Amino acid sequence: MTILTSQMTLFLFMLLSITTFHKTMCSNHTVVQCNEKDREILLNFKQGIHDTFGRISIWSEKDCCAWEGVHCDNTTERVTKLDLHLKDLKGEMSLCILELEFLSYLDLSMNHFDVISIPVTQHNITHSSSLFYLDLSFNEGPNLHMDNLDWLSPHSSLKYLILSGIDLHKESNWLQVVSTLPSLLELQLTDCKLNNFMFNSSFEYLNLSSIVILNLSLNNFTSHLPNGFFNLTKNLTYLYLHESNIHGEIPSSLLNLQILRHLDLSKNNLQGSIPDRIGQLPNIQHLDLSMNMLSGFIPSTLGNLSSLISLSIGSNNFSAEISNLTFSKHSSLVSLDMSNSNVAFQFDLDWVPPFQLSHLSLSNTNQGPNFPSWIYTQKSLQDLDLSSSGISFVDRNKFSSLVERIPNELILTNNSIAEDISNLTLNCLFLRLDHNNFTGGLPNISPMTTHVDVSFNSFSGEIPHSWKNLTDLQYIILCRNRLSGEVLVHLANLKDLRYMFLGENEFYGTIPTMMSQYLQVVILRSNQFEGNIPPQLFNLTSLFHLDLAHNKFSGSLPNSVYNLTQMNTNHVYVWRPVTFNLFTKGQEYVYQVRPERRTIDLSANSLSGEVPLELFRLVQVQTLNLSHNNLIGTIPKDIGRMKNMESLDLSSNKFYGEIPQSMSLLTFLGYLNLSYNNFDGKIPTGTQLQSFNESSYIGNPKLCGAPVTNCTTEEENPNTEKPFTQIEDEDSIRESMYLGMGIGFAVGFWGISGSLFLIRKWRHAYFRFIDGVGDKLYVTLIPKLNNFGKN
């Protein structure tokens, strides 16, 4: 019996082992297949989507769990996650996808959806929602809006709600809807066009205590922050409200958030002073109150914030002093921005801060005349901005060591530093040393540098050979130095170059035929460049500012000028403005180069030949200067279509002919100079051309009419020029009249000839008529001719 029992036990054990092994093997080879209902919902969601790169166009196989972005639970075989962020999807974002019963995670962010549709069934979901993460943010469609957020109410399990970039300006009860989500930890409503903090009479019963992260930046609240609001958010740790048009003072309830770590109220209209109680936020790590209208003293309690990592309080109206004692407890400080401040900095000369900064901005503050010695102690600086700080003197060795180790941004603009840095190698990506007194040769710079501005200094010599390797360089601004050499040879290989400001130096050489195809600004004025202007320069479709004035260029202008498509379209690039000196309207201005202002200046060269007609078809050009050359030809009437023209200078050339009446259509013209040419006839009448004084037309002896000497009556009558549009109308009428006469003659001729050819009776009658006329002429003329012969 014992043996039998043992054998039975062994058998059952083996059977159990085989069964377990079989199940294990089967589980290793089982392919999860999604529920048919889930598959149908996914296909319905797909219908309105335009898939540029085909990422979801393959959603067709039976097993939807294998589709792009779809994740299923291995046990239930139900869809639990859909992640399609950054897939370049377009079209309709249908929230029918929320009907997936077991969906817990949905991310459709950073695509190009242009409309959101919310099915009626979404408001009546019967199943218990498992959704805890929902991100529909940062899609780019112009019609991406929601009238309300009521559809969120069934999803009480939501912990993360991110709707940034969706237009919610019609939703006036957004706060009440959010309060119905008891598990919500993170709420991101950045740039949603929210315009109110409106509460109903029982707002104190709202429950927002679960929220840890709240981002309401880039909205338009146009109101103060309700003091009671922050009593509802006791667990708030991250609060972002920058650039939301908030008024009033900093509410006292905000200072009750004892666990707050990040506070950003920058770029608003906050007034009053910083409350003393701000020192009672023991956990604050990032504090940004910059770009407001705060005033008064900076409280000493700010120095109690020993956890601070980042402090930005610049661009306000403080009137106070700051000493090194203010920062004595800030050993964790990494970023400090106090730019655009009237604060007096009273730091001891031998002060060594307890922190090591990676970012420091003290632009537009009074730091000089000596370079602040405490900055030399900062060994970890990655970004340094000391522009417009009144600095004149530096410690040469310490200064050299400091600027060479900064890897990102080095900005020393608009000081009076006079150092020779030619032996240095600057490793920053963004370099601005402009408007100083630097001397000697240019420094070597990192091959990864993207922006160089050393204009308005006293640099001399040629471009360093190492600059040929600046393959990432996009902006180079060298204006107003004493630099020389064939600079364009060095820059021709920089294929990513956008801006090239080389004006007012001593550069020479010719323009290479091959330049960066991305060039938007080319300024070579006041150098010694020579040779022909290559046609390839006019094939740069992105170019909107071309200034070759005051050089030695010769030859004729290329006929390919119409390829400057940026001068002929309304498209405007988004770009970082650059300030420089522009010569327009007869004088020099300091202004920002912007793509909406198109400029062509080829003045003071030795250009000859006729100006291509295509140049006067660049209808977006606002400044055109061809003066002081040897150009010939007439002004075409097409110039009247350049309706954005503000400054036109054709003076000191050899242009001839009459001034077209169409020029009176240039209603924005603020500067005109046609002097010293060979124009003749009467200046067209019209308020625009008569608004300029005689100096605009002087040096054209055959030109008459106001504002120069009036034409005589005999000259006025035959040469009276009609308006541009009237001339076009008369030409059209004359052409129509000639065409009508031709058609009438042809119809009459072929009408009679055709009838004679097709109708026999008419043809016989016609010939009998001709014979009769011939007989009568014979009887009448022959006797007279005989009598004339006898006489």
Side-chain angles (χ1 to χ4, degrees):
M1 185 68 180
T2 304
I3 295 173
L4 181 62
T5 304
S6 299
Q7 289 176 342
M8 181 63 74
T9 302
L10 180 60
F11 174 78
L12 290 175
F13 176 77
M14 291 177 65
L15 182 62
L16 179 62
S17 299
I18 292 170
T19 304
T20 304
F21 176 77
H22 176 72
K23 287 184 177 180
T24 303
M25 293 299 291
C26 289
S27 65
N28 287 340
H29 290 85
T30 299
V31 177
V32 178
Q33 293 190 357
C34 77
N35 177 273
E36 186 61 30
K37 182 179 179 181
D38 290 353
R39 184 176 186 274
E40 182 180 346
I41 292 173
L42 286 167
L43 291 176
N44 287 338
F45 167 74
K46 174 194 171 186
Q47 284 182 354
I49 296 177
H50 304 292
D51 185 7
T52 306
F53 294 101
R55 291 187 170 96
I56 68 170
S57 60
I58 58 174
W59 279 14
S60 57
E61 296 91 352
K62 182 69 175 176
D63 180 18
C64 64
C65 289
W67 293 352
E68 174 84 16
V70 179
H71 302 267
C72 297
D73 184 271
N74 288 337
T75 303
T76 64
E77 300 181 351
R78 302 300 297 269
V79 175
T80 59
K81 179 178 179 180
L82 180 61
D83 187 352
L84 293 175
H85 82 282
L86 203 61
K87 301 295 184 185
D88 204 35
L89 303 178
K90 301 178 182 179
E92 177 187 359
M93 179 197 293
S94 174
L95 295 188
C96 71
I97 198 67
L98 294 177
E99 295 174 10
L100 292 169
E101 293 182 47
F102 292 88
L103 187 68
S104 61
Y105 186 103
L106 176 61
D107 189 348
L108 302 176
S109 63
M110 302 177 74
N111 284 291
H112 304 280
F113 290 110
D114 51 29
V115 64
I116 297 177
S117 64
I118 306 174
V120 176
T121 55
Q122 179 58 36
H123 297 278
N124 303 311
I125 292 179
T126 55
H127 64 266
S128 178
S129 173
S130 303
L131 192 68
F132 77 89
Y133 185 95
L134 177 61
D135 188 350
L136 309 179
S137 64
F138 299 114
N139 282 279
E140 299 179 357
N143 300 315
L144 209 64
H145 69 277
M146 292 180 183
D147 292 345
N148 62 74
L149 295 176
D150 295 339
W151 56 274
L152 285 171
S153 55
H155 304 287
S156 58
S157 58
L158 266 175
K159 293 184 178 181
Y160 305 93
L161 178 59
I162 308 171
L163 302 178
S164 298
I166 297 175
D167 186 347
L168 297 176
H169 80 275
K170 291 185 179 180
E171 173 55 276
S172 58
N173 295 314
W174 61 274
L175 201 56
Q176 284 83 348
V177 174
V178 168
S179 70
T180 65
L181 305 174
S183 302
L184 196 63
L185 299 176
E186 178 177 346
L187 177 61
Q188 301 261 7
L189 297 179
T190 303
D191 193 19
C192 288
K193 297 181 172 60
L194 296 173
N195 51 31
N196 66 81
F197 260 111
M198 295 176 64
F199 303 112
N200 56 33
S201 57
S202 58
F203 79 90
E204 63 270 17
Y205 298 107
L206 296 177
N207 182 13
L208 303 173
S209 60
S210 64
I211 297 180
V212 174
I213 300 173
L214 178 61
N215 193 340
L216 301 177
S217 301
L218 300 171
N219 284 292
N220 188 30
F221 292 118
T222 62
S223 65
H224 65 283
L225 289 173
N227 198 37
F229 176 74
F230 298 105
N231 293 327
L232 311 174
T233 56
K234 61 181 180 180
N235 291 315
L236 204 59
T237 307
Y238 301 88
L239 176 60
Y240 304 95
L241 284 167
H242 70 268
E243 205 167 344
S244 290
N245 203 6
I246 298 171
H247 299 263
E249 297 185 354
I250 298 174
S252 58
S253 64
L254 177 61
L255 304 177
N256 296 329
L257 303 177
Q258 292 297 297
I259 63 174
L260 194 64
R261 293 183 181 179
H262 289 242
L263 176 59
D264 188 348
L265 299 176
S266 63
K267 298 183 180 179
N268 283 292
N269 297 300
L270 292 172
Q271 298 174 323
S273 58
I274 299 177
D276 284 338
R277 287 182 56 213
I278 200 166
Q280 300 175 16
L281 296 177
N283 296 298
I284 197 78
Q285 295 178 345
H286 299 269
L287 177 61
D288 192 344
L289 304 177
S290 63
M291 298 189 185
N292 279 284
M293 295 184 288
L294 297 171
S295 58
F297 294 99
I298 297 174
S300 59
T301 55
L302 195 67
N304 296 332
L305 305 180
S306 58
S307 298
L308 267 182
I309 295 174
S310 172
L311 175 63
S312 181
I313 57 175
S315 299
N316 280 288
N317 300 318
F318 298 122
S319 55
E321 293 183 357
I322 285 186
S323 69
N324 40 278
L325 294 176
T326 306
F327 299 100
S328 60
K329 298 180 181 179
H330 293 167
S331 58
S332 301
L333 199 63
V334 173
S335 176
L336 176 61
D337 185 349
M338 299 188 67
S339 57
N340 302 296
S341 297
N342 292 321
V343 175
F345 295 85
Q346 303 293 334
F347 296 136
D348 295 340
L349 292 178
D350 57 352
W351 177 52
V352 177
F355 50 73
Q356 282 292 318
L357 299 176
S358 63
H359 172 85
L360 174 61
S361 180
L362 296 174
S363 64
N364 290 291
T365 60
N366 187 13
Q367 300 294 324
N370 293 310
F371 193 96
S373 59
W374 68 269
I375 298 179
Y376 292 137
T377 69
Q378 302 301 293
K379 307 298 183 182
S380 302
L381 273 178
Q382 298 187 41
D383 306 288
L384 174 62
D385 187 352
L386 288 173
S387 56
S388 302
S389 297
I391 298 173
S392 301
F393 306 107
V394 301
D395 183 308
R396 179 170 298 177
N397 293 330
K398 292 180 179 179
F399 177 77
S400 299
S401 177
L402 173 69
V403 297
E404 280 192 312
R405 65 174 177 257
I406 294 176
N408 291 335
E409 287 194 3
L410 175 60
I411 306 176
L412 300 175
T413 297
N414 198 28
N415 285 288
S416 301
I417 303 173
E419 285 293 315
D420 183 342
I421 57 173
S422 58
N423 61 335
L424 301 185
T425 297
L426 304 181
N427 294 295
C428 52
L429 302 180
F430 187 97
L431 175 64
R432 288 198 61 183
L433 304 178
D434 55 291
H435 294 82
N436 277 282
N437 297 318
F438 286 105
T439 60
L442 291 171
N444 293 306
I445 55 179
S446 166
M448 294 183 292
T449 301
T450 61
H451 186 123
V452 174
D453 186 352
V454 296
S455 59
F456 293 84
N457 278 285
S458 297
F459 286 113
S460 58
E462 299 189 359
I463 303 296
H465 185 76
S466 61
W467 285 38
K468 284 185 177 181
N469 301 320
L470 303 177
T471 53
D472 294 329
L473 193 65
Q474 296 182 14
Y475 316 105
I476 181 167
I477 307 176
L478 309 178
C479 301
R480 290 206 181 180
N481 281 284
R482 301 171 185 170
L483 298 167
S484 59
E486 295 190 69
V487 61
L488 296 180
V489 173
H490 294 262
L491 303 182
N493 296 322
L494 306 184
K495 303 304 181 184
D496 207 27
L497 201 59
R498 265 77 166 169
Y499 312 166
M500 186 166 64
F501 294 67
L502 308 179
E504 300 181 67
N505 280 285
E506 300 170 12
F507 294 125
Y508 56 85
T510 59
I511 299 178
T513 56
M514 297 301 295
M515 299 288 286
S516 168
Q517 293 301 302
Y518 299 107
L519 278 169
Q520 299 173 23
V521 177
V522 175
I523 299 179
L524 306 181
R525 73 178 296 121
S526 299
N527 280 284
Q528 303 294 320
F529 293 110
E530 59 186 356
N532 293 340
I533 300 175
Q536 289 82 355
L537 187 62
F538 291 99
N539 289 330
L540 301 176
T541 56
S542 301
L543 191 67
F544 66 82
H545 191 108
L546 176 62
D547 187 348
L548 309 181
H550 294 270
N551 280 285
K552 298 178 180 179
F553 292 113
S554 58
S556 58
L557 293 177
N559 290 323
S560 58
V561 66
Y562 198 63
N563 292 331
L564 296 171
T565 52
Q566 187 61 23
M567 304 273 196
N568 196 36
T569 64
N570 289 320
H571 174 72
V572 174
Y573 291 103
V574 177
W575 80 322
R576 184 172 187 164
V578 174
T579 301
F580 89 115
N581 291 55
L582 168 71
F583 192 85
T584 183
K585 299 183 181 180
Q587 54 186 307
E588 191 173 52
Y589 293 87
V590 176
Y591 97 121
Q592 288 185 328
V593 178
R594 292 183 177 275
E596 62 268 23
R597 183 174 190 88
R598 281 77 161 190
T599 297
I600 298 177
D601 192 343
L602 308 178
S603 62
N605 282 285
S606 299
L607 299 172
S608 58
E610 293 194 9
V611 178
L613 181 63
E614 289 80 2
L615 182 63
F616 295 98
R617 293 177 180 170
L618 301 177
V619 296
Q620 297 297 330
V621 170
Q622 291 169 285
T623 296
L624 177 60
N625 191 346
L626 304 178
S627 65
H628 295 87
N629 281 288
N630 296 307
L631 298 168
I632 62 173
T634 60
I635 302 176
K637 62 183 180 182
D638 283 355
I639 197 172
R641 296 184 172 90
M642 302 178 77
K643 297 186 183 298
N644 295 302
M645 185 76 74
E646 296 180 9
S647 176
L648 176 63
D649 193 343
L650 304 179
S651 63
S652 299
N653 278 286
K654 298 177 182 178
F655 291 114
Y656 56 84
E658 297 184 348
I659 300 173
Q661 179 68 38
S662 61
M663 279 188 63
S664 62
L665 301 176
L666 305 180
T667 53
F668 288 104
L669 200 61
Y671 176 81
L672 175 66
N673 194 347
L674 303 179
S675 63
Y676 298 103
N677 280 285
N678 296 313
F679 293 115
D680 57 37
K682 184 173 181 290
I683 298 173
T685 55
T687 56
Q688 192 62 37
L689 297 183
Q690 269 67 50
S691 65
F692 302 104
N693 58 39
E694 188 174 355
S695 62
S696 295
Y697 305 99
I698 195 171
N700 294 281
K702 296 182 180 180
L703 196 63
C704 61
V708 300
T709 306
N710 289 329
C711 302
T712 62
T713 305
E714 291 77 18
E715 289 174 322
E716 283 186 12
N717 293 333
N719 292 323
T720 300
E721 190 173 357
K722 299 175 182 177
F724 179 54
T725 52
Q726 185 177 342
I727 292 173
E728 287 189 330
D729 292 342
E730 290 184 359
D731 289 344
S732 178
I733 293 171
R734 189 177 298 111
E735 290 175 0
S736 300
M737 182 182 69
Y738 291 154
L739 181 61
M741 290 174 62
I743 292 174
F745 174 78
V747 170
F749 176 80
W750 287 110
I752 296 173
S753 300
S755 299
L756 293 176
F757 178 76
L758 295 174
I759 304 175
R760 181 181 298 175
K761 290 183 179 180
W762 286 26
R763 188 165 61 249
H764 289 169
Y766 172 72
F767 287 125
R768 284 197 299 271
F769 172 75
I770 293 298
D771 288 341
V773 171
D775 291 342
K776 289 181 180 180
L777 289 174
Y778 180 80
V779 171
T780 303
L781 294 176
I782 292 300
K784 292 184 178 181
L785 291 172
N786 289 334
N787 291 333
F788 179 76
K790 290 177 181 180
N791 295 330

